[in-house]
Amino acid sequence: MTDISAGLIITLIGMGLVFLALILLWGLMYLMVLFANRIFPDREEGGAGEDNDPGDEVLPLEGAGLTENEMHLKSAAAAVAVGLALKTGANAVAALALGSPAQSASSWQAVHRANRLTQRLNLFSRKTGRN
């Protein structure tokens, strides 16, 4: 028996065991579903996240008793709130990332940041010595 044929036989045995384990797991899951349906026969089969209670329905805006003018005012207020939140959030991120002019970094911080960046760049461009 050559090395290639021995390797192929070992590969076939390993693949057979993997598929046998998958079939065994599939059979166990099928049996668990059968037993669960016998224990809880009144439950309907549903997917994950489909537990909807009848009292959790959301009313449409037309049924909430709002006039068209009130709906426009509420949507405009929501748009302004989202815009302000995005604007202040973007300013905060820019101030942290780039440093705002009102709060500039000291020379000590700038030197240490530059050193850290240099160390990171050298980490990937370092050449290994051969012995």
Side-chain angles (χ1 to χ4, degrees):
M1 185 181 295
T2 64
D3 290 339
I4 292 177
S5 61
L8 287 175
I9 290 173
I10 291 172
T11 301
L12 288 175
I13 291 172
M15 288 175 59
L17 287 173
V18 166
F19 283 108
L20 183 68
L22 287 173
I23 291 170
L24 179 69
L25 287 174
W26 173 77
L28 287 174
M29 289 190 315
Y30 182 77
L31 288 174
M32 287 179 10
V33 168
L34 282 179
F35 288 132
N37 286 338
R38 286 188 183 173
I39 293 173
F40 304 109
D42 56 336
R43 291 183 67 186
E44 294 180 10
E45 192 170 326
E50 293 182 9
D51 296 335
N52 293 332
D53 292 333
D56 289 345
E57 295 178 12
V58 178
L59 293 175
L61 288 178
E62 295 83 23
L66 296 175
T67 64
E68 189 173 342
N69 190 24
E70 290 173 335
M71 286 193 299
H72 284 293
L73 288 174
K74 284 192 174 201
S75 63
V80 169
V82 168
L84 286 174
L86 288 175
K87 182 179 178 185
T88 57
N91 287 341
V93 169
L96 287 175
L98 303 174
S100 62
Q103 190 180 27
S104 63
S106 68
S107 58
W108 181 82
Q109 288 175 328
V111 167
H112 281 285
R113 286 179 186 168
N115 285 340
R116 288 295 297 156
L117 287 173
T118 305
Q119 287 175 355
R120 281 188 190 168
L121 289 174
N122 287 338
L123 179 68
F124 297 110
S125 63
R126 186 174 13 184
K127 294 182 181 178
T128 59
R130 296 184 185 200
N131 294 331

